[in-house]
Amino acid sequence: LGLGEGNVRVGDRFTVFRDYDAVRDTDSRTLLGYHVHVLGWAEVTEVQAESSIAVVRMSRGEMHRGDRLIPRAEVHTSVPVKESPDGIEGRIVYMPDSRTEMAGGDYLYINRGTLHGFEVGSELEVYDAGQLLPEKERSTNVMTPDHKVADLVIVEVQPDSAVAFIVETHRELSVGDRVR
């Protein structure tokens, strides 16, 4: 690693990533943060004056000279589910790996976070809003109810955004879908 004495210690752990994508709110185009393409993680085993040696502990892809490092955050293997604040609505704003649709077991980003009352473990639903449709028998329009299409749990949260795990879905999810 390109970090030496004074910058790292034996036992330090780093997430290795290559590229990152800006995550923007679908409505306002405000920058919410960045998604990094994680290649794996490594642990420092030897420190020298200007560099150090690390052992790759987990790899999801090839690592090359020039790949970037960030300190490795503790990974939660289970998340206690918590009640979410009422009345907070948002949208799906990003899907990793240039995907256009997501399904159960995937992760996605939403445009709501701690500033909106969410925390790790908050439950959300993705829904299709009801529609005003004609009712021929009574010659009037009738509002149909909202329809829940997926269950999410927040696994990482920032002030204005969050990463959510798709617990279950009844259709493919897309950027712009509504959450609450």
Side-chain angles (χ1 to χ4, degrees), residues 51-125:
S51 62
S52 58
I53 296 173
V55 173
V56 174
R57 298 290 186 201
M58 192 278 300
S59 174
R60 292 184 181 155
E62 287 185 34
M63 296 177 195
H64 300 283
R65 182 183 313 261
D67 288 339
R68 302 183 68 187
L69 304 173
I70 53 175
R72 180 167 159 61
E74 189 63 36
V75 176
H76 302 285
T77 55
S78 65
V79 174
V81 176
K82 300 176 182 175
E83 199 167 305
S84 295
D86 287 334
I88 305 298
E89 297 190 7
R91 294 205 182 255
I92 296 172
V93 294
Y94 182 83
M95 293 191 234
D97 303 322
S98 301
R99 297 196 32 205
T100 57
E101 296 182 333
M102 299 297 247
D106 286 328
Y107 294 88
L108 51 78
Y109 290 66
I110 64 167
N111 63 349
R112 297 295 181 261
T114 57
L115 292 176
H116 307 94
F118 292 117
E119 57 187 320
V120 170
S122 292
E123 290 183 293
L124 297 166
E125 68 179 20

Side-chain angles (χ1 to χ4, degrees), residues 127-133 142-147 178 180:
Y127 70 99
D128 289 330
Q131 301 175 6
L132 193 59
L133 298 174
V142 175
M143 186 65 168
T144 63
D146 294 347
H147 177 71
R178 299 168 188 232
R180 64 180 171 203

